Amino acid sequence: MSAETCKKETVAPRFLLPDAGGHFGEFGGIYVPETLMTPLAELTAAYETARRDPAFQQELAFLLKQYVGRPTILYFAEGLTRHLGGAKIYLKREDLLHTGAHKINNALGQALLAKRMGKKRVIAETGAGQHGVATAAICAKFGLECVIYMGATDMARQALNVYRMRLMGAEVRAVTAGQQTLKEAVNEAMRDWVTNVRTTHYILGTAYGAHPFPMMVRDFQRVISKESREQMLAAEGKLPDQVIACVGGGSNAIGSFFEYLDDPAVALTGVEAGGRAIAPGEHAARFAGGKLGVLQGCLTYILQNYDGQIEGTHSVSAGLDYAAVGPEHAYYWKKGRIQFAHANDTEALAAFQLLCRTEGILPALESSHALAHAVKVAPTLAQEKVLLVNLSGRGDKDVWHAAKVMGEELAV
Amino acid sequence: MSSTDRIATAFATARQQGHAAFIAYICGGDPNLDASVQIAETLFSSGVDLLEIGVPFSDPLADGPTNQLAAQRALAAGMDHEKIFTLVRRIREKSDRPIVLYAYYNLIFSQGIAHYLQCCKDAGVDGILTLDCPPEEAGELLAASRAIGLANIFIVAPTTPPERVERIARDASGFIYYVSREGVTGERSDLVANLAESVAAIKQHTHLPVAVGFGISTPEQVTAVGKVADGVIVGSALVNVIAAHAEHPEEISAALGEKARHLIGGLR
């Protein structure tokens, strides 16, 4: 599969997706055990009511400003631009948000919803730990009981975030099944939810899973492109030529792209984890090696073998290390509106260091994949072209792991 | 005998004998294909009326640790869809009792729905239960299975409201699987209190037999469920016996037969 094989087709108006059953064209839907069907319908109804309620939107807007730290700045990366010698590169600084990544936009929205629904207990999965930390923070603030599921492998490479969650009163439960990363954490969170669904809200961290999660998470992350569109017009007097974001499940990417979907001149590029190589078990580039399938609630492109068993994945970044991609991305890829590329571990680590040296900004390893793509394309473009890279998170959490991968052991 | 006939006959025969049908769940290929053939034979000869064969999946999100580990053992032993069909064909050489596959949707979807179901039918499978495919998404699955006379077993849960039970019952065939509690599969020491009311509420919407599962693991629980339901489903309690002897498959039959007879004793 490649972007070239997909013809441009008519795209449904962006606000009409998904349909009532959670479908983005053939993708998405609700594929869950029967026990969750009615709770998901209740969640959808509660969300629909909340989002039309001015009081809910006001509280969300207030807390996004006062607690989360929005709006984030749009930063012209002059040093990086000069170094690469091509298109101008702007960074949307989601890394400056409270708890260090875009994840808190969604965690806050869903926690407000959980409170509204009278749920006293919150669970979440986490890969890199950023969604877990954001959820733990909001739960501490709202006085909600919080349990975070995290793969044991991820706990080892993101030990700092594990401790941050515990400091905020969350219980972090290690998941030791399978390859002990994000996918297994989602399985375990789903098992908890199916058991405790009457008292518990599951704050899913990405634009993935059964309806209404992909829609709801997208809506809470849309704020990124709402802001960047206005900021870009103010800074450059025009829209960017290309928006670039990394894609694990796809929440920072759909949030960064959404307000540009109706601007055909703005190219939208999602960057997946190329890992060590595009070979089974060595990467997480679903559009490069995936097939249509159903996993953890929805129909989308999935890395799987001939038998329908889900394949292992690898990425230097825990947050992109996932076998499936959000259904809305699958839809826009098929329609030719969003292109997908991948950056490998080496390229991401190089971009990680390059941004440190040229700008004094330490990006998350996830966001470094988006940067790596900009590093590739910027020199090929004219200087009046503008690239907007979503810097989805900061890299403090990655310092220890990155040093280890690059051959240095830091004293703890 | 056609598929739905085998299932209907099993429930009718049990009813004529004055007890609920006993339904056993095992994971196909746990601990390996040959052992599974022997396990099925043992279960049927111990009095099991209907066999549910779990199709091992890498990501069984509705299953507790017992069945997760069973799936891991089966996959490690090299099970795949072809071998599941081989397993069913080999069981069919010796038994005419109903066999239902218990699968996650991706396993079916990835092979092409109609193709997978036809392979099921050809191997001698009587029905299919897809854990993570509710009726809303089951259009193609329903059409394809109806075309070839394969039963579609759907789950009803404690969270399912009456109007939804009615909708599920419209699409279901074979029997209704009532999950007696919220949660994943696994043995439990207690039973839910209002089971009789729940089963009666389902029966207002269907003439199909209603079988109850999730957490049933003692003869006393089997007796209690057997009084109010048409079928009693036991999984993890049997799978745990298989797990205990997984390193020595030749020991499984004796231990499993004893466990099955002990549990089935709760119905007689």
Side-chain angles (χ1 to χ4, degrees):
Chain A
M1 278 189 302
S2 72
E4 288 72 36
T5 62
C6 270
K7 296 192 296 285
K8 295 229 176 193
E9 292 174 49
T10 314
V11 180
R14 62 197 163 109
F15 291 111
L16 294 184
L17 292 174
D19 69 12
H23 302 99
F24 301 87
E26 72 194 272
F27 307 102
I30 308 178
Y31 294 88
V32 294
E34 173 59 26
T35 301
L36 292 178
M37 288 302 289
T38 300
L40 281 168
E42 288 165 4
L43 178 60
T44 304
Y47 174 63
E48 292 293 348
T49 310
R51 80 164 166 184
R52 285 174 176 76
D53 180 353
F56 178 84
Q57 292 297 348
Q58 270 165 27
E59 190 176 6
L60 178 60
F62 175 81
L63 289 168
L64 280 175
K65 183 162 186 256
Q66 298 295 331
Y67 185 69
V68 173
R70 302 211 71 91
T72 57
I73 55 177
L74 179 73
Y75 171 74
F76 173 47
E78 203 178 349
L80 181 64
T81 299
R82 201 180 318 115
H83 178 85
L84 295 172
K88 289 173 97 167
I89 298 176
Y90 279 83
L91 304 176
K92 178 64 174 161
R93 298 288 309 272
E94 294 297 293
D95 61 313
L96 295 177
L97 291 176
H98 177 46
T99 66
H102 72 290
K103 291 291 185 188
I104 198 160
N105 299 327
N106 166 58
L108 171 63
Q110 286 200 48
L112 282 174
L113 192 60
K115 262 179 49 178
R116 217 180 140 96
M117 293 177 76
K119 308 276 183 184
K120 304 270 188 262
R121 180 173 179 268
V122 159
I123 57 170
E125 86 294 341
T126 198
Q130 290 304 108
H131 175 57
V133 171
T135 303
I138 304 278
C139 287
K141 178 174 166 54
F142 289 166
L144 297 166
E145 184 188 343
C146 180
V147 175
I148 305 291
Y149 289 94
M150 190 167 185
T153 300
D154 289 340
M155 285 178 74
R157 59 179 163 175
Q158 300 289 353
L160 184 70
N161 273 345
V162 174
Y163 193 64
R164 287 169 78 196
M165 290 183 259
R166 287 180 174 151
L167 279 175
M168 292 171 184
E171 182 192 339
V172 184
R173 292 190 188 164
V175 180
T176 54
Q179 62 175 24
Q180 313 187 358
T181 58
L182 181 55
K183 174 168 68 74
E184 290 77 21
V186 173
N187 284 336
E188 214 49 45
M190 296 278 284
R191 290 181 188 121
D192 181 313
W193 203 33
V194 88
T195 307
N196 301 300
V197 68
R198 291 179 201 263
T199 59
T200 299
H201 177 64
Y202 177 16
I203 302 191
L204 210 152
T206 191
Y208 193 78
H211 181 65
F213 285 109
M215 170 183 79
M216 193 162 68
V217 176
R218 171 200 75 194
D219 289 351
F220 289 131
Q221 295 294 358
R222 265 177 61 198
V223 64
I224 302 173
S225 51
K226 273 188 195 163
E227 286 175 9
S228 76
R229 203 172 194 280
E230 280 181 26
Q231 290 167 324
M232 191 56 88
L233 286 170
E236 287 284 329
K238 63 172 189 178
L239 295 177
D241 295 287
Q242 188 172 166
V243 184
I244 302 170
C246 63
V247 184
S251 72
N252 95 82
I254 200 69
S256 308
F257 296 161
F258 195 76
E259 299 298 324
Y260 299 101
L261 282 169
D262 295 341
D263 301 303
V266 180
L268 304 173
T269 305
V271 185
E272 300 183 284
R276 289 182 285 250
I278 303 299
E282 296 292 307
H283 70 108
R286 292 64 48 104
F287 292 103
K291 282 187 301 192
L292 208 52
V294 170
L295 177 67
Q296 296 174 337
C298 65
L299 194 151
T300 184
Y301 291 102
I302 297 169
L303 296 171
Q304 54 184 310
N305 73 6
Y306 74 99
D307 191 40
Q309 310 293 343
I310 309 308
E311 265 169 6
T313 50
H314 164 80
S315 170
V316 68
S317 70
L320 304 186
D321 200 352
Y322 186 60
V325 66
E328 196 162 11
H329 288 290
Y331 174 80
Y332 286 115
W333 175 78
K334 191 156 187 225
K335 296 294 184 187
R337 180 65 191 96
I338 302 179
Q339 318 297 318
F340 287 86
H342 48 84
N344 64 32
D345 287 355
T346 310
E347 293 164 336
L349 283 164
F352 176 82
Q353 296 170 83
L354 182 63
L355 195 70
C356 288
R357 285 201 303 269
T358 56
E359 295 290 347
I361 295 172
L362 174 61
L365 283 174
E366 289 76 19
S367 322
S368 298
H369 286 71
L371 283 166
H373 187 70
V375 169
K376 279 182 224 170
V377 299
T380 69
L381 298 171
Q383 292 188 350
E384 65 271 17
K385 296 287 184 187
V386 174
L387 300 180
L388 166 57
V389 177
N390 195 48
L391 200 63
S392 56
R394 69 179 185 225
D396 306 48
K397 68 184 172 61
D398 294 316
V399 169
W400 184 80
H401 182 62
K404 194 174 162 195
V405 173
M406 295 185 286
E408 274 184 69
E409 287 286 343
L410 302 182
V412 184
Chain B
M1 203 187 279
S2 87
S3 299
T4 37
D5 286 356
R6 278 201 202 106
I7 295 173
T9 304
F11 280 100
T13 306
R15 196 177 307 123
Q16 279 161 17
Q17 293 168 356
H19 59 80
F22 188 91
I23 301 169
Y25 168 94
I26 58 164
C27 177
D30 168 30
N32 61 56
L33 175 56
D34 290 337
S36 262
V37 176
Q38 182 63 45
I39 284 167
E41 213 173 294
T42 300
L43 289 170
F44 282 140
S45 66
S46 304
V48 165
D49 299 300
L50 188 154
L51 183 65
E52 267 184 21
I53 297 178
V55 186
F57 183 44
S58 53
D59 292 83
L61 58 77
D63 284 298
T66 296
N67 290 343
Q68 289 174 43
L69 291 171
Q72 278 180 27
R73 287 191 296 271
L75 291 173
M79 287 304 289
D80 64 5
H81 58 280
E82 288 294 348
K83 294 202 173 93
I84 287 288
F85 301 138
T86 302
L87 169 63
V88 175
R89 275 193 298 272
R90 287 180 57 187
I91 298 170
R92 270 282 163 264
E93 286 168 10
K94 295 189 177 169
S95 174
D96 203 32
R97 304 240 178 119
I99 296 173
V100 167
L101 291 192
Y102 175 104
Y104 287 85
Y105 188 54
N106 198 52
L107 300 173
I108 301 168
F109 182 88
S110 62
Q111 306 310 315
I113 293 168
H115 173 73
Y116 188 95
L117 296 180
Q118 187 63 55
C119 291
C120 286
K121 183 74 183 174
D122 294 346
V125 171
D126 300 292
I128 190 140
L129 186 159
T130 314
L131 262 295
D132 53 350
C133 187
E136 285 85 344
E137 303 286 1
E140 195 181 342
L141 196 71
L142 283 167
S145 50
R146 278 178 189 144
I148 58 172
L150 205 60
N152 270 283
I153 293 95
F154 280 103
I155 284 179
V156 168
T159 51
T160 311
E163 62 277 12
R164 196 172 155 77
V165 174
E166 193 185 348
R167 190 214 192 290
I168 292 170
R170 265 204 313 274
D171 287 337
S173 48
F175 63 96
I176 298 274
Y177 187 134
Y178 181 62
V179 167
S180 57
R181 68 178 75 220
E182 293 99 330
V184 295
T185 55
E187 294 191 56
R188 286 184 183 81
S189 54
D190 58 328
L191 265 185
V192 287
N194 53 352
L195 194 58
E197 290 87 331
S198 304
V199 172
I202 296 169
K203 283 182 162 288
Q204 289 186 350
H205 300 286
T206 183
H207 297 298
L208 291 174
V210 176
V212 174
F214 270 42
I216 300 167
S217 56
T218 67
E220 294 71 31
Q221 291 172 334
V222 169
T223 304
V225 173
K227 280 181 185 158
V228 300
D230 302 304
V232 183
I233 306 163
V234 176
S236 297
L238 299 170
V239 175
N240 278 331
V241 175
I242 296 170
H245 300 279
E247 301 296 319
H248 302 281
E250 69 283 359
E251 296 171 0
I252 293 173
S253 276
L256 188 66
E258 191 184 333
K259 180 77 175 182
R261 285 188 297 274
H262 181 60
L263 289 163
I264 294 168
L267 292 176
R268 308 288 155 87

